[in-house]
Amino acid sequence: LSPAAIHREVTKSTIQKPYVLYPRAAGLLGTVAAIVLEPSAYLLIPAIAGTLAGAGAWIYDMTMRREFHAGEYLQRLHARLESDRKHSLKQLKLVLQDVDAEAELGQLRRLQAKYDTFEELLGRKLNPGELSFNRYLSMAEQDFLGAHDNLRRIADLRKSIAAIDEGHIRDRIDDLQGADPSNASHDKELEALTDRLQLLQQQRDKIQSLMTRNETAMTKMDEVMAAVAEMSTTERRA
């Protein structure tokens, strides 16, 4: 999505266009033939003409039609991301349901609704064929997929602590703390149980941090939507 990446893709696609590639190939063959054989007008003229025609077509594409080709590239990128997003969304819902992550499922629904609203609003303000439309939408998809990755990681974290019975651990700690303090095996068990509680809390802290990141991403999306809503892209009627 960066200007450098877009420039690379536009350069690669335009240089492979038939109206650029074939004249350049003809010019190259004519030049080789003129070098290998005796240089003559019937070899040099097609070689020069082909080279100039190919170079001229490429320069025209890279200047006058650059925005068009950049828009095509972003449309292809958007289509690929859209396909990946829909597939991964279904998988993520199943994973979150498996670990009973109700809060995360709610966040995912809000995230999806926010993205759909953003796409609809953007369609009102910009033409889907425009470079700006596809750049905005592709960046929103990246934000969505980033939040999706965070939710996937949360599901894994919840799965990793699903077998830790916090209630049992705390009850056992209470029992051990009231038992004979000189018992070495009790001390080792108490240490192990305490470590397990610390691990549980660490994983919960990570989950909360990832949830907060997603909320921050949605806030930024709201800010972008507010800016898009202020765009004046149509002729006033009053």
Side-chain angles (χ1 to χ4, degrees), residues 180-194:
D180 183 6
S182 62
N183 192 321
S185 63
H186 284 181
D187 291 341
K188 289 183 179 180
E189 183 180 357
L190 183 61
E191 182 181 357
L193 292 171
T194 303

Side-chain angles (χ1 to χ4, degrees), residues 161-180:
I161 60 176
I164 299 178
D165 189 340
E166 183 179 6
H168 167 73
I169 293 173
R170 293 192 181 278
D171 289 342
R172 183 57 180 162
I173 288 176
D174 290 339
D175 292 341
L176 292 172
Q177 287 176 340
D180 183 6

Side-chain angles (χ1 to χ4, degrees), residues 4 7 12 15 31 56 71 89 92 174 187 232:
H7 179 75
K12 184 169 67 175
I15 207 167
T31 301
L89 188 61
L92 180 58
D174 290 339
D187 291 341
S232 178

Side-chain angles (χ1 to χ4, degrees), residues 14 19-20 42 48 54 73 80-81 83 87 134 146 155 162 166 168 172 176 182-183 194 196 225 231 233 235 238:
T14 54
Y19 51 81
V20 174
Y42 73 89
I48 295 172
Y73 160 66
R80 189 173 76 242
L81 291 174
S83 177
H87 175 72
N134 288 288
E166 183 179 6
H168 167 73
R172 183 57 180 162
L176 292 172
S182 62
N183 192 321
T194 303
R196 204 179 310 164
M225 277 196 286
M231 288 181 180
T233 57
E235 183 180 353

Side-chain angles (χ1 to χ4, degrees), residues 50-70:
T51 301
L52 291 177
W58 181 71
I59 292 172
Y60 176 76
D61 266 355
M62 288 295 292
T63 54
M64 305 301 294
R65 286 168 54 85
R66 184 182 182 282
E67 292 292 308
F68 171 77
H69 292 300

